[in-house]
Structures are given as structure tokens and as C-alpha cells.
């Protein structure tokens, strides 16, 4: 088996916009940007045995994504999300269900990936159905560092599910709204830094990343807090910018970059992708460094 440094588990789908459709799904976006940065990635998901699935597989191959662990489901259609831009410049989504990625099956190959060192990226959305959820849970007892990109999409989560996933991870990525929502469940302090520390202590999560949109991001690593104001760009859309951020973070984590530089790089990649349309745009990684040095 190839030495996949990162495995991304979850949804692959078509983002249906008013004027076009684009390949997407948070785990696939993360996988795309990691492979752009030279990191070997296994994408674990499922498509339908349909034309949309064939098209999506073809696009993934054009994007140079490894499709070894993309299952084909004859009983369920390929995932779709209907997306529109809200007045706040944030994307709003209608996520179709059930679809193929709700039914990711366990396999010997997936168990082998879980046993090898590296990172496993997962989120709450692909856990909405019991089949994929049970497959995911079977992979969490391996040797990989577990990265939870919480990615809450109402109504596709419950407090019980979120708490279960929070108990599993060593790295948590969460946005400002999600931090407030979950923190309010436990009446954590309103101050962001204190709230993040409370999260870390309650769930024993040593690394927590908080994305703050156009205000940059914050990072807690072993009780040390870092913050970056982000980079100003002309926004095309925000689809996948948080996923690109996470890929930039993991890439630097793999090569042992110091936390402050890691956070700056992640912010730059997230901003760069927001300046393009879609979650998997064509770009040169040199553009990330150019944005940092601008």
C-alpha cells in the first residue's frame, strides 16, 4: 500500500451553483490542496453508479487525486449540494440525502490505512448516517493523528454526535460560529481565548484552530495561543477556503514548521482560494508565498 501521509474521510459531491456545478465536499477539497502541496493523500468516500459519479471520478483524476478508496454504490446517487451566496458573502447550502457517501463501507484496505502513521481528517457531515459513521468510528482506533474539521451543517448533526467526535480528536478545526454554538452548550466563557482553552481542557484536545473568516484565524497548541489577522484579497467566493486553510496547516505540521509560521501559511492559502471560484481551483503554490510576502 502507498504510504499515504493523510487520509481524508467523507463526502465527495457536486456543488450545484446557479450558473454551474463544481466538484466539492470538504474532505475532497482538503485532499486536493494537500496533493497540490506534494502530500500523498488517500480520499475515502463513495459515489453513485451513475453519470454524476462517473463525471466526479473523472474530475478527481484530472485533479490528480487518488481514487483507490472511492467506492461505487449501485443503490444511492452521487452526492449533490445546492449552494447560493448569501448577503453576508458566506455560502449557504442545501445538502441532498441520502446519497452514496452516507454509505461508505469498511474494508481491509481502510483498516490498513488506519494502522499506518499519519493523519486522518474527518467531519460531522459524513457521520449523519449510521453506515458511514460506523465505518469512520472503526478507523479511529489506529495510529493516525485524528483531525476533526467539525463542519456543522444544520440539520445534519446532533449534540450527541458532536460530543462523540470531539472525544476522538487530537486536532480540532472549528469556525467562530461553531465555537460559539458548542461553547454555549457548556456555558464556556464568552472570551474567545478562554473559550478555546475550556474546549481544550474539557475534551483533552491539544491543538485547536479557530477560523475567523476575513479576520484570519487563531491557534491553540499545548496551551500556547497564536493569532493571525489574515490576508486581504478580492473574494470570488468562499467555497472551500476553510478546507484550503486546513490543508495548509497540515502540510506545515507534517514538515514541522513552527506554529506561528504554520498559521500564517494556512491563512494565506485560505485567502488565496477565496480569490478564486470553487473549492478546487488551479493555482501555483508559489502564489501562497507571494501573498505572505506581499
Amino acid at each position: 500500500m502507498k504510504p499515504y501521509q493523510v487520509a481524508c474521510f467523507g463526502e465527495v459531491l457536486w456543488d450545484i451553483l446557479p450558473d454551474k456545478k463544481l466538484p466539492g465536499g470538504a474532505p475532497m477539497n482538503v485532499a486536493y490542496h494537500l496533493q497540490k502541496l506534494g502530500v500523498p493523500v488517500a480520499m475515502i468516500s463513495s459515489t453513485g453508479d451513475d453519470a454524476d459519479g462517473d463525471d466526479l471520478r473523472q474530475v478527481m483524476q484530472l485533479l490528480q487525486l487518488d481514487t483507490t478508496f472511492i467506492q461505487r454504490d449501485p443503490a444511492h446517487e452521487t452526492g449533490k449540494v445546492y449552494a447560493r451566496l448569501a448577503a453576508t458573502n458566506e455560502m449557504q447550502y442545501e445538502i441532498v440525502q441520502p446519497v452514496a457517501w452516507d454509505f461508505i463501507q469498511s474494508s481491509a484496505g481502510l483498516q490498513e490505512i488506519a494502522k499506518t502513521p499519519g493523519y486522518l481528517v474527518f467531519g460531522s457531515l459524513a457521520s449523519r448516517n449510521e453506515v458511514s459513521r460506523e465505518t469512520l468510528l472503526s478507523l479511529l482506533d489506529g495510529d493516525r493523528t485524528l483531525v476533526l474539521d467539525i463542519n456543522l451543517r444544520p440539520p445534519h448533526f446532533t449534540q450527541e454526535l458532536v460530543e462523540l467526535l470531539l472525544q476522538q480528536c487530537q486536532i480540532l478545526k472549528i469556525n467562530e460560529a461553531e465555537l460559539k454554538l458548542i461553547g454555549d452548550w457548556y456555558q464556556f466563557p464568552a472570551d474567545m481565548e478562554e473559550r478555546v482553552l475550556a474546549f481544550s481542557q474539557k475534551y483533552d484536545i491539544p491543538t485547536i484552530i479557530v477560523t475567523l473568516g476575513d479576520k484570519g484565524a487563531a491557534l491553540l497548541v499545548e496551551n500556547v495561543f497564536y493569532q493571525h489577522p489574515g490576508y486581504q484579497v478580492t473574494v470570488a467566493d468562499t467555497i472551500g477556503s476553510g478546507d484550503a486553510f486546513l490543508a495548509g496547516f497540515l502540510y506545515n505540521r507534517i514538515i514541522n514548521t513552527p506554529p506561528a509560521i504554520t498559521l500564517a501559511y494556512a491563512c494565506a492559502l485560505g485567502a488565496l482560494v477565496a480569490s478564486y471560484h470553487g473549492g478546487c481551483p488551479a493555482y501555483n503554490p508559489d502564489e501562497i508565498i507571494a501573498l505572505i510576502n506581499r
Side-chain angles (χ1 to χ4, degrees):
M1 181 173 290
K2 289 173 61 175
Y4 299 103
Q5 286 184 291
V6 180
C8 295
F9 180 98
E11 61 273 17
V12 295
L13 50 86
W14 286 106
D15 280 320
I16 312 296
L17 282 73
D19 59 339
K20 59 191 161 188
K21 71 176 187 178
L22 296 168
M28 191 178 95
N29 294 339
V30 174
Y32 168 73
H33 295 291
L34 282 168
Q35 69 83 22
K36 286 278 285 184
L37 298 171
V39 177
V41 186
M43 182 64 231
I44 302 167
S45 191
S46 182
T47 67
D49 189 11
D50 52 23
D52 281 333
D54 292 341
D55 290 348
L56 191 53
R57 287 166 179 274
Q58 185 175 26
V59 167
M60 293 177 71
Q61 289 164 2
L62 289 171
L63 295 175
Q64 299 182 325
L65 282 170
D66 189 320
T67 59
T68 303
F69 300 100
I70 305 294
Q71 300 169 12
R72 192 184 295 272
D73 184 340
H76 301 94
E77 68 176 327
T78 298
K80 296 185 189 68
V81 173
Y82 293 92
R84 67 181 183 85
L85 190 64
T88 58
N89 218 29
E90 291 294 318
M91 298 305 298
Q92 294 185 343
Y93 304 92
E94 178 194 344
I95 305 170
V96 176
Q97 75 176 123
V99 292
W101 55 258
D102 286 312
F103 298 90
I104 301 169
Q105 306 292 321
S106 185
S107 70
L110 298 190
Q111 298 301 323
E112 191 63 31
I113 286 177
K115 291 176 186 175
T116 57
Y119 294 83
L120 174 61
V121 179
F122 60 99
S124 63
L125 187 54
S127 302
R128 68 183 181 178
N129 181 280
E130 182 180 4
V131 176
S132 289
R133 181 168 66 249
E134 290 303 314
T135 299
L136 172 62
L137 293 174
S138 76
L139 304 178
L140 300 185
D141 291 332
D143 293 329
R144 292 192 168 245
T145 299
L146 303 179
V147 183
L148 173 57
D149 181 2
I150 192 72
N151 202 21
L152 299 182
R153 301 293 187 207
H156 302 283
F157 68 91
T158 63
Q159 182 171 339
E160 180 183 16
L161 172 62
V162 170
E163 290 174 335
L164 173 65
L165 297 178
L166 286 168
Q167 291 166 13
Q168 309 295 326
C169 67
Q170 291 87 50
I171 299 175
L172 169 66
K173 174 182 161 284
I174 191 167
N175 67 30
E176 203 170 12
E178 292 162 344
L179 182 70
K180 181 180 188 312
L181 173 67
I182 302 173
D184 285 353
W185 293 347
Y186 313 115
Q187 298 181 314
F188 283 164
D191 175 78
M192 182 182 69
E193 189 169 341
E194 292 179 8
R195 181 162 284 210
V196 171
L197 282 165
F199 257 92
S200 177
Q201 291 162 4
K202 179 174 179 64
Y203 285 105
D204 191 25
I205 306 173
T207 301
I208 299 179
I209 315 154
V210 184
T211 56
L212 304 170
D214 61 3
K215 302 189 296 295
L219 170 65
L220 181 76
V221 180
E222 303 290 353
N223 294 319
V224 179
F225 203 75
Y226 303 84
Q227 200 150 358
H228 192 282
Y231 298 91
Q232 297 304 308
V233 297
T234 301
V235 174
D237 65 53
T238 59
I239 296 173
S241 59
D243 308 324
F245 174 100
L246 180 57
F249 179 89
L250 291 175
Y251 164 70
N252 280 272
R253 180 93 169 205
I254 288 166
I255 62 174
N256 295 314
T257 305
I261 299 172
T262 295
L263 185 60
Y265 188 100
C267 284
L269 182 49
L272 178 65
V273 169
S275 73
Y276 285 93
H277 288 287
C280 299
Y283 64 91
N284 188 317
D286 289 345
E287 295 177 66
I288 307 166
I289 304 302
L291 183 55
I292 292 171
N293 295 332
R294 190 175 65 185

